[in-house]
Amino acid sequence: MEYFGKIFIILLSSILVNNFIMSRFLGICPFLGVSKRVSTAIGMGAAVTFVMALASVITYLAYYFILEPLEMQYMQTLAFILIIATLVQFVEMVIQKISPSLYQALGVYLPLITTNCAVLGVAILNIEEGYDLFQTLVNGIGGALGFTLAIVLFAGIRERLELSDIPEPFKGFPIAMITAGLMSVAFLGFQGLIK
């Protein structure tokens, strides 16, 4: 039971307490770029969830079954980036075939998942924290769900802001940055949830 308690803490922590966007400030580029519409934010969140979960498991296996036995741990960042780039290419091809409209809406931000530091960050954090394979998967999924939660909430707020009476100097990107800052402060409220 203690193991599953730790799994629950890892999941809750990665979604709320250590949210990659709001607490660790990783993955800001797609957060700001794709969050103008809830529908595209959900699509990006789904793509990132798939890539982050799969990348967590594959990078774990690559680290412990290839890099560590060969004593090449210093190559982890390069190896992880290659794995993530391959997964993103796969996701891009699938989305282009399944949903061309989502592919068009995501635009340049879909290939940018390759350089999304949140995906690389979760892979490296899994190794640094010493998680086993299941904990790695849970942390990857939790991190991606936290990413999705933040981007969808932000997209919903931005859609409402378009209909609001905002002073001219604050329209567009300035109000988006203010909103992101306020959301980050709100997520800091979760810091005392898990010790």
Side-chain angles (χ1 to χ4, degrees):
M1 193 62 171
E2 187 177 308
Y3 180 77
F4 290 106
K6 185 174 182 183
I7 294 295
F8 179 73
I9 288 172
I10 290 170
L11 182 64
L12 191 62
S13 174
S14 59
I15 294 172
L16 296 175
V17 179
N18 296 315
N19 185 289
F20 280 100
I21 294 176
M22 296 298 155
S23 297
R24 296 184 188 264
F25 306 109
L26 298 174
I28 299 294
C29 179
F31 173 71
L32 293 172
V34 182
S35 60
K36 292 179 182 168
R37 296 276 169 254
V38 171
S39 57
T40 55
I42 290 171
M44 176 59 92
V48 168
T49 300
F50 179 77
V51 169
M52 200 178 278
L54 205 54
S56 294
V57 171
I58 294 173
T59 54
Y60 175 91
L61 296 173
Y63 184 84
Y64 287 108
F65 293 104
I66 297 172
L67 297 177
E68 197 172 67
L70 295 174
E71 296 181 6
M72 296 178 67
Q73 295 93 330
Y74 60 90
M75 295 290 288
Q76 86 174 10
T77 304
L78 180 62
F80 290 1
I81 288 172
L82 289 173
I83 291 167
I84 292 165
T86 303
L87 288 172
V88 170
Q89 288 300 311
F90 174 71
V91 168
E92 190 174 0
M93 289 186 302
V94 168
I95 290 177
Q96 188 174 15
K97 292 286 184 195
I98 292 175
S99 178
S101 60
L102 178 60
Y103 180 79
Q104 287 295 105
L106 293 175
V108 72
Y109 294 100
L110 187 58
L112 283 178
I113 296 174
T114 302
T115 57
N116 184 341
C117 50
V119 180
L120 180 60
V122 77
I124 292 173
L125 282 170
N126 289 332
I127 301 302
E128 286 180 359
E129 293 293 328
Y131 291 150
D132 63 27
L133 184 59
F134 186 64
Q135 291 170 337
T136 295
L137 177 62
V138 168
N139 191 44
I141 291 171
L145 291 176
F147 178 91
T148 304
L149 174 67
I151 198 170
V152 169
L153 287 174
F154 190 57
I157 293 169
R158 286 180 81 176
E159 281 185 358
R160 304 246 354 218
L161 285 174
E162 286 183 11
L163 304 173
S164 300
D165 185 26
I166 299 170
E168 194 62 38
F170 292 108
K171 284 187 178 178
F173 195 67
I175 195 69
M177 293 302 291
I178 292 168
T179 304
L182 292 173
M183 281 183 65
S184 183
V185 170
F187 269 78
L188 285 176
F190 294 115
Q191 291 297 313
L193 189 62
I194 296 174
K195 295 179 182 186

